[in-house]
Amino acid sequence: MGESVRQILARESAGGTATVRGWVRTARHAKGLTFIEVSDGSCFAGLQVVVESTVPGFETELRQLQTGCGVVATGELVESPGKEQSLELRAARVEIVGPVADGYPLQKKRHSFEYLRSIAHLRPRTNTVGSVFRVRNAAARAIHEFFQERGFLWLHTPIITASDAEGAGNLFRVSVMDPADPARDAAGAVDFSEDFFGRETFLTVSGQLEAEIAALALTNVYTFGPTFRAENSNTSRHLAEFWMVEPEMAFCELEANADLAEAFLKHVFEYVLTHCADDMAFFNQRIDKTVIETIEHIVRTPFERITYTEAVSILQASGESFEFPVEWGIDLQSEHERYLAEKHIGKPTIVTDYPAAIKAFYMYLNDDEKTVRALDVLVPKVGEIIGGSQREHRLDVLQPRMAEHGLADADYWWYLDLRRYGSVPHSGFGLGFERLVQFVTGMANIRDVIPFPRVPGYAEF
Ligand code: 4AD
Ligand code: MG
């Protein structure tokens, strides 16, 4: 592997030879001189390569240099007279390894993000998507770093599962049966006992239930993997396939859970600010002029913490006309979440103690028997970025709650067992990884922060 553009640009000074391998971002042909900018994705900047007429092939094949070509250029690294960059390569040799056929869909002009989604195999070559991928990578690294430094074990939870962790029924089925001719029982119903796993199975919506198993033995664990939801939500914040980070901690109650969520987000934000400075400068200039200021502010200031009941009072007193009217008991909609985090409070807000009726079956029931120890972290623009709770660890409370949700004891026998054998208070949360990337980059649509978005009606690539 050769030196990357990042490494070349990080050299202390000009002088010496360098070889750059990458793709041409821009090519400018002048009389006796060609300028190309070569990018390899290692950093935001490309390397400017100056091709003089003495370079072999100048008048012939090198006239074909254009946006998109895969090239290898070798030459001397010199100080650049241009203000855009400090160093440039004065080419001695340029080889077009991968020429570009007619009709290359990425031209120098700005393309809409919608169009770029339709060429997701080429969009990583754009400034924006390249920056998004680097930020994604840095955020993932920061996440592992945060948990590893605190002694959390990374747990690999299954992708194929028989349980609906959220009890919301948004499951993608996993089956090898012929949909036109499935096995049927005597009554004519589809017989899943004949299917691959001998039962109905689905893609996981969350690794939480399995993470609880591990936390009740290993104390502090986290998952980081893909999750799937068959919600028909065509919004800028929903994907059918997204990555989730789910820490789960034993001997931990709601307060400490909220503390961890806050420290966690701050760590990741700070890491991205310091490790992706060029990419963040680009987002701040081209995508959202306030993004750096917002993130810096968030890293420095404590999050607000309010209860659901307080949130409802704030919304009712707001004088705003919401599409979904507010009364105690409703699930907070995105417009409400954004009003709280964006307008009223103006910073990340942790809302706790939601009505039991609108939350999942596993959340710890408060003494009022109406609310549960849930927490959602709301941020400006994106709304809910984290959802979590203290878990119901009391068997006698959990069992009737599950029955109310229509979950059969027989299907969740192991989950109930955990409440029989050494059950202790435990808590955790789930961070939607793409919502985090969306928030730090300021990108308007979640489909542009995952390499290959899966959404209703679309699964190309
Ligand atoms: O709030 P959710 O549904 O919580 C859970 O799944 C819990 N089991 C987590 C836990 O306590 N371990 O999802 C967690 C987060 C949300 O806050 C949101 O950021 C993200 O996952 N999320 C989605 N992101 C993109 N597209 C979707 N369709 C999402 N649904 C949830
Ligand atoms: Mg949620």
Side-chain angles (χ1 to χ4, degrees):
M1 253 167 37
E3 211 177 5
S4 67
V5 170
R6 183 192 193 85
Q7 289 168 324
I8 294 172
L9 291 175
R11 286 199 197 171
E12 307 251 291
S13 58
T17 60
T19 297
V20 62
R21 297 169 182 81
W23 292 267
V24 174
R25 268 277 166 79
T26 56
R28 199 151 49 82
H29 297 280
K31 195 160 189 298
L33 209 57
T34 289
F35 294 97
I36 54 175
E37 191 198 347
V38 179
S39 163
D40 66 0
S42 59
C43 58
F44 182 78
L47 183 66
Q48 163 141 295
V49 178
V50 184
V51 190
E52 292 169 351
S53 58
T54 50
V55 175
F58 182 85
E59 284 303 344
T60 52
E61 65 261 31
L62 295 189
R63 289 278 133 183
Q64 311 298 314
L65 278 169
Q66 58 170 300
T67 303
C69 287
V71 297
V72 178
T74 302
E76 192 191 355
L77 197 64
V78 297
E79 269 173 39
S80 173
K83 344 188 247 306
E84 301 269 303
Q85 61 277 318
S86 57
L87 296 172
E88 64 185 29
L89 191 74
R90 186 185 293 149
R93 260 194 5 254
V94 179
E95 185 192 350
I96 303 183
V97 180
V100 160
D102 287 345
Y104 184 55
L106 272 180
Q107 291 308 323
K108 208 186 159 212
K109 69 176 182 130
R110 264 204 228 181
H111 298 288
S112 74
F113 290 129
E114 223 167 355
Y115 170 68
L116 290 177
R117 260 171 247 149
S118 74
I119 50 163
H121 59 308
L122 297 171
R123 70 175 183 166
R125 300 183 189 187
T126 63
N127 276 337
T128 310
V129 176
S131 286
V132 164
F133 287 5
R134 280 185 296 275
V135 167
R136 243 187 108 92
N137 174 68
R141 184 164 175 186
I143 286 165
H144 283 299
E145 194 182 277
F146 179 86
F147 289 120
Q148 294 294 331
E149 277 172 1
R150 284 164 180 75
F152 284 61
L153 300 189
W154 180 20
L155 180 73
H156 307 98
T157 48
I159 286 173
I160 299 174
T161 170
S163 43
D164 180 358
E166 291 302 297
N170 302 319
L171 301 160
F172 285 105
R173 182 185 305 289
V174 175
S175 171
V176 295
M177 289 200 292
D178 178 356
D181 184 24
R184 294 192 186 273
D185 62 18
V190 175
D191 184 2
F192 288 103
S193 72
E194 296 289 317
D195 206 346
F196 189 90
F197 294 106
R199 60 187 302 173
E200 273 189 282
T201 48
F202 308 94
L203 295 178
T204 188
V205 295
S206 157
Q208 178 195 320
L209 304 190
E210 291 89 357
E212 285 185 55
I213 294 177
L216 291 172
L218 304 163
T219 309
N220 293 327
V221 301
Y222 69 106
T223 71
F224 189 168
T227 50
F228 308 86
R229 297 200 182 176
E231 305 169 84
N232 200 1
S233 302
N234 255 306
T235 79
S236 59
R237 318 180 312 143
H238 287 90
L239 292 164
E241 174 178 307
F242 61 99
W243 286 63
M244 211 186 329
V245 180
E246 298 182 274
E248 191 70 31
M249 298 79 69
F251 302 100
C252 175
E253 301 194 8
L254 190 66
E255 187 89 344
N257 194 19
D259 291 345
L260 189 83
E262 178 169 345
F264 169 61
L265 287 177
K266 286 178 168 171
H267 173 84
V268 178
F269 293 160
E270 191 157 29
Y271 188 96
V272 170
L273 279 177
T274 46
H275 289 79
C276 302
D278 289 353
D279 297 309
M280 289 302 296
F282 171 77
F283 290 120
N284 203 63
Q285 193 194 355
R286 294 283 277 277
I287 304 295
D288 174 352
K289 301 252 183 261
T290 62
V291 73
I292 290 184
E293 188 195 322
T294 305
I295 308 263
E296 280 176 346
H297 178 70
I298 287 172
V299 169
R300 286 194 309 266
T301 41
F303 291 7
E304 188 72 25
R305 298 189 189 192
I306 59 174
T307 64
Y308 168 89
T309 303
E310 286 163 345
V312 166
S313 304
I314 292 170
L315 293 167
Q316 285 174 331
S318 69
E320 299 271 318
S321 58
F322 293 115
E323 188 188 338
F324 296 90
V326 179
E327 60 176 288
W328 200 96
I330 62 148
D331 202 358
L332 298 184
Q333 302 294 320
S334 156
E335 55 173 345
H336 308 134
E337 295 174 346
R338 292 187 53 178
Y339 175 82
L340 290 168
E342 217 164 292
K343 287 207 191 148
H344 182 78
I345 297 168
K347 61 176 173 177
T349 303
I350 306 183
V351 182
T352 60
D353 303 289
Y354 283 74
I358 57 168
K359 286 292 185 186
F361 68 91
Y362 51 69
M363 297 190 180
Y364 186 97
L365 191 64
N366 278 316
D367 290 344
D368 64 13
E369 301 203 347
K370 283 195 335 226
T371 58
V372 285
R373 287 191 190 161
L375 72 79
D376 275 7
V377 182
L378 314 180
V379 294
K381 298 197 180 114
V382 170
E384 178 191 338
I385 194 168
I386 279 179
S389 70
Q390 182 173 332
R391 317 308 186 190
E392 186 53 78
H393 70 284
R394 301 163 298 182
L395 183 65
D396 58 326
V397 184
L398 181 63
Q399 243 169 343
R401 288 265 292 154
M402 289 182 53
E404 279 165 34
H405 281 82
L407 302 175
D409 283 10
D411 291 336
Y412 293 83
W413 62 275
W414 47 272
Y415 194 71
L416 293 166
D417 256 8
L418 294 175
R419 276 71 187 164
R420 291 191 183 100
Y421 308 129
S423 187
V424 301
H426 59 288
S427 300
F429 62 79
L431 164 81
F433 185 58
E434 284 72 24
R435 295 220 181 144
L436 172 112
V437 178
Q438 203 185 350
F439 181 65
V440 289
T441 57
M443 293 293 287
N445 197 317
I446 197 165
R447 298 173 190 201
D448 300 322
V449 301
I450 187 163
F452 302 102
R454 270 77 182 94
V455 294
Y458 194 77
E460 189 70 53
F461 304 101

